[in-house]
Amino acid sequence: MRSMLREYFPAALAAFEDLDAPELLNTATDPASAAQLSLEDISAELRRARRRGVEAEAAAIQAALRTPQLTQPASITAAYTVGVRAQIALLTTLNTQTSTRRLRSAAASPASAWS
């Protein structure tokens, strides 16, 4: 995903250094829509991801997303956007399955839940 973002949306790499809140990136997978995100939208997604220091982080993300950058033609941006959304969907599904598996494992063996 990083290589795709580097090609068409480098501001996303600066804004989402660790890419651990894919829902926020999924909200705006192209430079034009990302630049329009409000602080409230960004803050809400960060809170859903259980982040701390939401206000400061939201302001930093918004500033990074609004930085002027070179753009690709619309057709290339659209193609990369589809690819990034597919990868986000895959990551979200894997994260959900991993969380579910951990919960089932912890319920089956409470002593190993803390290991």
Side-chain angles (χ1 to χ4, degrees):
M1 182 169 13
R2 286 185 184 282
S3 63
M4 291 171 68
L5 290 170
R6 190 177 304 113
E7 292 297 322
Y8 86 103
F9 191 12
L13 291 176
F16 312 114
E17 293 175 2
D18 50 12
L19 294 176
D20 68 344
E23 296 81 12
L24 182 55
L25 181 57
N26 198 34
T27 303
T29 52
D30 64 89
S33 61
Q36 295 176 1
L37 284 175
S38 69
L39 282 175
E40 292 79 25
D41 294 336
I42 297 169
S43 296
E45 287 297 335
L46 292 174
R47 282 189 192 94
R48 266 180 256 175
R50 298 182 179 170
R51 301 290 284 265
R52 294 188 176 157
V54 169
E55 290 78 18
E57 189 173 357
I61 288 172
Q62 186 183 51
L65 293 175
R66 291 183 176 180
T67 327
Q69 61 182 347
L70 296 175
T71 59
Q72 295 283 358
S75 59
I76 292 177
T77 298
Y80 276 120
T81 299
V82 169
V84 167
R85 283 193 174 153
Q87 289 185 359
I88 290 169
L90 178 64
L91 287 172
T92 303
T93 301
L94 290 173
N95 286 341
T96 301
Q97 289 177 350
T98 301
S99 296
T100 303
R101 182 165 284 177
R102 282 188 194 146
L103 290 173
R104 286 182 187 160
S105 177
S109 176
S112 66
W114 299 101
S115 347

